[in-house]
């Protein structure tokens, strides 16, 4: 590994209108080094990397490539300098093939025409480097989310990249895919590529990074070699204070009450013979990686998916929902995995989002008065510790991911839901907000709510669950009591060995 700096930024500042986002950020990205960029949602990470990628221009500061000051007015200029951004939001072309997507922006040509043979070869080599068995002629629209993420990574690594920026690259990847990505990053590091790695996962930082840079409120709060810091110091730099992990504070003891949820031998094309119960006050974790059937099972409980065999009972009553509205009427609240496209009313206010399932009850005639929605939100604002205006009058899209998730939780509390089915409840949520969400879930359980967490994130299970089941290829392969739940047991039962 060489220490020659490929990219150096000094004093980067950026404002959007009156809102100051970056306040003079300095950072060096040496060749052959992995630098982790951390920070809570809203800390300025996305704005900073968009400046490096040419999407935004800084208001002040300098960018230098190998000591030569430059500026990027377009994404093309940044790419020509050897910088590639693998964004968290997938930006593929679903109607095109895998090979065409990987070659986008750099289609090989011959005699003035696209050289499709060369295009397929480039795609195949890029996928082989990632250990991905994906057909290069398959339409991207036919792929699952994790495979589409791999295509994004392959596109960035297929060219002569000098600096790669990964923004939450493992959020949709399985354990095996994550390990292959880390192997690729190691190879590129050895080849002298400068790598900037953005993640909320501290275990990933300490597994692959050489240095860590933390942004807080648009300023660098920590910039150090990874060997010089520990996780507690990194977390403190992110949130401004120590964050205590108190997941042992709440222990569920069955009182023999009738279960809120009883599932017996439930089956569909995605899962089979699933047995599960959730009692009042219990937080059950259902853990499984991509392809396990976990999200499909959760959707079936809410009427957003179907089951073909077995029984589902709520409060002892056998039910089968044809539509989520029927599940809501029976007291089930549901958080989807993709809150942006499936959960949020993005152009509506925070108060409107929380009140949405209760509009019929809150309406006076055909309309819901805005004041009623504001008062409804005020009831939950402090309970859920939502960082927003007390009346919830701002647009929901202006809130961080963690605060959006709290609002979605609040909508089901206002609706009176006793059973909460939460799919990937902390996806894209920073470390501080994660702990706040886990604390809210424990409080709700103590109040008698039953909670099912369906997640591919082992931390959701280890931090919050009072019991857990592990699903692999549609079947439950392990049941764990609270004292048995650990990262090692979860990942080993899921077939991934020890976590990468």
């Amino acid at each position: 590994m060489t220490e020659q700096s490929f990219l150096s930024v000094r004093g980067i500042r950026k404002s959007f209108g009156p809102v100051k986002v970056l306040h003079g950020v300095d950072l060096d990205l040496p060749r052959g080094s992995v630098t982790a960029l951390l920070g809570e949602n809203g800390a300025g990470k996305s704005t900073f990397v968009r400046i490096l990628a040419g999407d935004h221009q800084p208001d002040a500061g300098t960018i230098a490539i190998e000591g030569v000051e430059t500026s990027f007015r377009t994404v093309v200029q940044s790419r020509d300098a050897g910088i590639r951004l693998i964004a968290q939001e997938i930006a593929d072309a679903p109607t095109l093939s895998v090979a065409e997507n990987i070659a986008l922006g750099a289609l090989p040509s011959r005699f003035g025409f696209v050289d499709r043979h060369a295009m397929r070869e480039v795609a195949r080599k890029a996928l082989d480097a990632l250990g991905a068995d994906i057909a290069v002629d398959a339409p991207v629209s036919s792929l699952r989310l994790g495979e589409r993420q791999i295509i994004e990574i392959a596109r960035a690594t297929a060219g002569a990249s000098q600096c790669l920026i990964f923004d939450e690259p493992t959020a949709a990847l399985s354990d095996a895919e994550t390990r292959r990505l880390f192997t690729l990053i190691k190879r590129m590091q050895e080849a002298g590529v400068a790598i900037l790695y953005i993640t909320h996962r501290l275990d990933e930082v300490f597994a692959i990074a050489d240095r860590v840079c933390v942004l807080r409120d648009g300023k660098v709060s920590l910039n150090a070699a990874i060997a010089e810091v520990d996780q507690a110091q990194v977390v403190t730099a992110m949130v401004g204070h120590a964050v205590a992990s108190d997941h042992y504070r709440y222990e569920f003891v069955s009182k023999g009450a009738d279960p809120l949820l009883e599932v017996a031998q439930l089956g569909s094309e995605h899962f089979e013979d699933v047995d599960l119960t959730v009692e009042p006050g219990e937080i059950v974790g259902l853990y499984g990686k991509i392809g396990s059937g976990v999200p499909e099972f959760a959707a079936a409980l809410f009427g957003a998916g179907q089951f073909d065999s077995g029984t589902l009972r709520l409060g002892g009553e056998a039910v089968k929902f044809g539509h989520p509205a029927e599940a809501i009427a029976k007291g089930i609240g549901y958080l989807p995995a993709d809150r942006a496209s499936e959960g949020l009313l993005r152009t509506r206010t925070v108060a409107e989002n929380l009140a949405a399932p209760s509009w019929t009850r809150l309406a006076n005639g055909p309309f819901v008065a805005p004041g009623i929605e504001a008062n409804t939100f005020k009831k939950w604002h402090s309970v859920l510790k939502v960082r927003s205006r007390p009346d919830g009058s701002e647009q929901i899209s202006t809130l961080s991911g963690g605060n959006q998730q709290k609002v979605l939780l609040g909508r089901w509390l206002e609706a009176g839901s006793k059973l909460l089915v939460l799919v990937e409840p902390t996806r894209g949520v920073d470390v501080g907000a994660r702990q706040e969400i886990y604390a809210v879930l424990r409080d709700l359980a103590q109040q008698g709510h039953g909670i099912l967490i369906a997640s591919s994130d082992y931390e959701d299970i280890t931090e919050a669950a009072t019991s857990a089941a592990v699903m692999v290829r549609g079947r439950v392969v392990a049941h764990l009591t609270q004292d048995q739940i650990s990262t090692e047991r979860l990942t080993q039962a899921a077939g991934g060995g020890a976590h990468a």
Side-chain angles (χ1 to χ4, degrees):
M1 185 187 82
T2 67
E3 285 299 325
Q4 178 187 356
S5 182
F6 171 75
L7 184 147
S8 298
V9 298
R10 293 292 181 270
I12 294 294
R13 297 178 180 273
K14 181 66 179 178
S15 297
F16 294 97
V19 180
K20 295 181 179 179
V21 180
L22 298 175
H23 303 265
V25 175
D26 298 342
L27 186 66
D28 291 303
L29 296 182
R31 284 187 173 278
S33 182
V34 178
T35 301
L37 180 64
L38 307 181
E40 292 195 283
N41 291 339
K45 303 186 304 296
S46 294
T47 299
F48 179 70
V49 299
R50 292 290 179 185
I51 288 173
L52 300 184
D55 277 345
H56 299 318
Q57 283 72 53
D59 300 328
T62 61
I63 300 174
I65 300 292
E66 295 187 308
V68 179
E69 190 171 322
T70 186
S71 63
F72 304 132
R73 296 296 173 184
T74 66
V75 173
V76 172
Q77 289 178 346
S78 176
R79 287 175 59 88
D80 288 346
I83 298 173
R84 300 287 190 277
L85 168 64
I86 300 101
Q88 185 177 0
E89 300 83 10
I90 292 176
D92 55 22
T95 59
L96 299 183
S97 71
V98 167
E100 289 168 327
N101 269 271
I102 291 174
L104 278 178
L107 288 168
S109 62
R110 188 170 183 231
F111 305 126
F113 297 94
V114 173
D115 187 339
R116 295 196 168 274
H117 175 74
M119 179 180 70
R120 292 187 182 94
E121 284 298 304
V122 168
R124 186 69 272 158
K125 288 179 180 178
L127 292 171
D128 286 345
L130 286 164
D133 185 17
I134 302 174
V136 295
D137 292 321
V140 165
S141 59
S142 68
L143 305 181
R144 57 177 175 79
L145 181 60
E147 290 171 326
R148 292 172 63 192
Q149 182 67 66
I150 290 171
I151 300 307
E152 294 285 291
I153 296 169
R155 182 192 304 154
T157 56
S161 303
Q162 302 298 310
C163 176
L164 284 174
I165 303 171
F166 292 91
D167 188 358
E168 296 282 357
T170 63
L173 301 185
S174 68
D175 280 339
E177 289 166 340
T178 296
R179 286 194 294 273
R180 287 196 290 267
L181 173 62
F182 288 177
T183 299
L184 175 66
I185 288 175
K186 183 67 175 176
R187 287 204 299 267
M188 301 195 77
Q189 180 183 0
E190 292 170 348
V193 176
I195 295 170
L196 185 62
Y197 191 91
I198 303 172
T199 183
H200 287 312
R201 301 309 313 241
L202 296 186
D203 58 334
E204 294 183 353
V205 172
F206 285 86
I208 67 169
D210 302 299
R211 297 192 62 84
V212 57
C213 178
V214 177
L215 293 184
R216 185 171 77 244
D217 299 328
K219 301 176 182 178
V220 175
S221 60
L222 176 70
N223 191 344
I226 204 72
E228 298 173 355
V229 295
D230 58 25
Q231 287 199 12
Q233 290 172 298
V234 173
V235 172
T236 299
M238 290 171 65
V239 303
H241 56 82
V243 175
S245 178
D246 58 355
H247 61 281
Y248 293 113
R249 183 178 301 167
Y250 175 66
E251 294 186 8
F252 170 72
V253 177
S254 177
K255 299 178 177 61
D258 292 336
L260 291 171
L261 172 70
E262 294 176 274
V263 171
Q265 296 185 309
L266 213 66
S268 77
E269 63 176 317
H270 301 290
F271 52 87
E272 56 183 316
D273 295 332
V274 179
D275 296 333
L276 197 76
T277 62
V278 181
E279 294 184 32
E282 188 175 16
I283 305 176
V284 177
L286 183 59
Y287 177 77
K289 304 308 286 185
I290 294 170
S292 65
V294 165
E296 291 84 1
F297 173 78
L301 300 182
F302 189 63
Q306 294 298 314
F307 59 90
D308 306 319
S309 59
T311 58
L312 166 61
R313 295 182 180 274
L314 290 177
E317 177 188 358
V319 294
K320 185 172 185 179
F321 304 125
H323 190 277
E326 299 172 13
I328 294 171
K330 289 292 186 179
I332 299 181
Y334 180 77
L335 292 191
D338 187 348
R339 62 176 172 270
S341 63
E342 300 176 22
L344 297 176
L345 305 174
R346 294 187 60 81
T347 60
R348 299 274 192 159
T349 68
V350 174
E352 288 173 318
N353 268 270
L354 186 140
S358 304
W359 275 338
T360 302
R361 176 173 53 81
L362 297 173
N364 183 9
F367 303 105
V368 179
I372 293 178
E373 291 175 325
N375 289 332
T376 299
F377 177 73
K378 287 176 184 177
K379 289 192 302 183
W380 302 107
H381 178 256
S382 59
V383 173
L384 296 171
K385 299 179 181 177
V386 180
R387 292 183 177 88
S388 70
R389 296 170 189 159
D391 63 355
S393 57
E394 66 265 61
Q395 192 167 299
I396 188 74
S397 59
T398 65
L399 268 59
S400 69
N403 285 294
Q404 290 176 352
Q405 205 73 318
K406 293 176 191 176
V407 172
L408 294 184
L409 264 177
R411 90 173 20 162
W412 301 118
L413 303 183
E414 174 62 27
S417 304
K418 294 299 292 182
L419 176 67
L420 301 175
V421 179
L422 316 178
V423 186
E424 307 289 357
T426 63
R427 176 174 286 171
V429 172
D430 60 62
V431 64
R434 274 175 176 257
Q435 293 301 327
E436 291 177 351
I437 289 173
Y438 297 146
V440 167
L441 296 184
R442 295 181 206 112
D443 288 344
L444 293 175
Q446 288 177 314
Q447 296 167 25
H449 289 270
I451 300 171
L452 175 66
I453 298 176
S455 182
S456 61
D457 187 334
Y458 64 82
E459 189 173 327
D460 287 344
I461 313 301
T462 59
E463 289 286 321
T466 58
S467 65
V470 180
M471 187 180 285
V472 176
R473 297 188 184 90
R475 284 186 171 272
V476 173
V477 298
H479 288 276
L480 304 175
T481 60
Q482 188 168 14
D483 62 347
Q484 293 174 327
I485 296 174
S486 68
T487 302
E488 291 73 23
R489 280 196 173 99
L490 290 171
T491 55
Q492 287 171 0
H499 186 71

